Amino acid sequence: MNIPILIAGVLSLIAFFAHALVGDWEHRVLKPAINSPNKNKETWVQARSGWHWVSVDLFLAGTVLLLIATTEIIKAKAEISLLLSIYFLACGIVWLGTVAQSRTNNKQILVLGQWMFCFLMSGLIFIGGQTGV
């Protein structure tokens, strides 16, 4: 059993549930009024759909990581682990860069700190992949 990858898988599934449930509730609160311009309604639907795209990513990554950590179903463990590590690293860099460029105050870099989760995930997966998956 690969403990770093197991931890990353569990964290990803916890993040999935928080993202899908709490995040969707937060998005529903932002729903434009019926008499809002169509562009506002389309933007809200697009943002909500994109939000759940990330939920799917978290669920699938968590599932694959648990399979890698606990079973022999996946044979290309090292390769898939490396790809997932790179994926989370790229997500973290893009998130941090976007927040840094878009922030209205420096506190937002920490408050909107999903980049830290991404870097943690990338590190755990990378370390797990180096320890002989």
Side-chain angles (χ1 to χ4, degrees), residues 87-103:
Y87 170 77
F88 278 104
L89 178 63
C91 287
I93 291 169
V94 169
W95 185 277
L96 178 58
T98 302
V99 171
Q101 290 179 354
S102 305
R103 73 187 187 279

Side-chain angles (χ1 to χ4, degrees), residues 1-5 124-133:
M1 182 172 304
N2 190 311
I3 300 302
I5 290 183
L124 284 169
I125 297 166
F126 184 78
I127 290 167
Q130 299 301 305
T131 59
V133 286

Side-chain angles (χ1 to χ4, degrees), residues 1-2 5-6 65-72 77:
M1 182 172 304
N2 190 311
I5 290 183
L6 178 67
L65 290 166
L66 290 181
L67 289 172
I68 288 172
T70 62
T71 73
E72 295 302 319
K77 293 181 178 191

Side-chain angles (χ1 to χ4, degrees), residues 2 14-15 30 34 36-37 75 79 83 90 103 105 124:
N2 190 311
I14 290 169
L30 300 172
I34 300 258
S36 295
K75 301 300 180 205
E79 295 82 356
L83 289 173
R103 73 187 187 279
N105 62 62
L124 284 169

Side-chain angles (χ1 to χ4, degrees), residues 28-106:
R28 283 184 275 138
V29 169
L30 300 172
K31 183 176 183 177
I34 300 258
N35 58 353
S36 295
N38 281 339
K39 184 62 178 167
N40 290 2
K41 294 175 194 172
E42 290 170 8
T43 300
W44 178 77
V45 170
Q46 185 175 13
R48 188 174 183 210
S49 298
W51 183 268
H52 286 295
W53 188 335
V54 174
S55 297
V56 170
D57 285 354
L58 290 167
F59 177 76
L60 292 177
T63 301
V64 168
L65 290 166
L66 290 181
L67 289 172
I68 288 172
T70 62
T71 73
E72 295 302 319
I73 293 172
I74 295 175
K75 301 300 180 205
K77 293 181 178 191
E79 295 82 356
I80 293 171
S81 296
L82 180 59
L83 289 173
L84 283 172
S85 178
I86 292 168
Y87 170 77
F88 278 104
L89 178 63
C91 287
I93 291 169
V94 169
W95 185 277
L96 178 58
T98 302
V99 171
Q101 290 179 354
S102 305
R103 73 187 187 279
T104 56
N105 62 62
N106 287 335

